[in-house]
Amino acid sequence: MRSILTVDDSASMRQMVVFTLKGAGYEVVEASDGVEALGKAKTRKVDLVITDLNMPNKDGIALIRELRALPDYKFTPILMLTTESGDAKKQAGKAAGATGWIVKPFNPDQLLKTVGKVLG
């Protein structure tokens, strides 16, 4: 079973993502910010990371940079799931190593399609 780490400071947003992914048969690990996510990623390898951009303690861009520095996560797909849709933010996400970008509010079918695509 493929595992996905979802990172968002909004509990309701995490619930929606978890509900969508679990319903499609994925195992889901949750984190409420970048610090917690990094800790979980280091103790348990996941197949995909879906992270919010704006979070307390460590934002999505910083999280992506730090994950990409770990050998286990050099090539792991990382999707940004955020309300931000500006080109500057997208460029910053890409520069940090984000694989793709999904704008909130997300469509569950679109999320699953994107996840399926990046997981191959």
Side-chain angles (χ1 to χ4, degrees), residues 51-55 59-61 80-82 84 89 101:
T51 182
D52 186 14
L53 177 62
N54 301 309
M55 297 180 290
D59 71 6
I61 302 280
M80 300 285 309
L81 177 61
T82 178
E84 302 275 353
K89 291 287 188 189
W101 199 275

Side-chain angles (χ1 to χ4, degrees), residues 14-113:
R14 278 199 319 274
Q15 278 179 323
M16 286 176 10
V17 172
V18 168
F19 181 79
T20 301
L21 296 172
K22 280 191 171 169
Y26 294 103
E27 184 184 342
V28 186
V29 179
E30 294 180 63
S32 59
D33 63 37
V35 173
E36 186 184 356
L38 197 60
K40 289 188 174 186
K42 285 178 175 176
T43 57
R44 182 188 193 289
K45 174 85 171 85
V46 295
D47 300 303
L48 168 66
V49 177
I50 300 175
T51 182
D52 186 14
L53 177 62
N54 301 309
M55 297 180 290
N57 304 319
K58 187 186 299 285
D59 71 6
I61 302 280
L63 173 62
I64 293 171
R65 269 198 209 104
E66 291 185 39
L67 284 172
R68 288 291 183 226
L70 301 173
D72 273 351
Y73 290 94
K74 248 190 178 65
F75 305 107
T76 301
I78 301 175
L79 297 174
M80 300 285 309
L81 177 61
T82 178
T83 53
E84 302 275 353
S85 57
D87 285 342
K89 291 287 188 189
K90 284 186 180 174
Q91 286 306 100
K94 270 205 177 98
T99 312
W101 199 275
I102 300 168
V103 178
K104 292 178 192 171
F106 70 94
N107 168 324
D109 293 337
Q110 189 60 47
L111 176 66
L112 292 174
K113 196 172 156 192

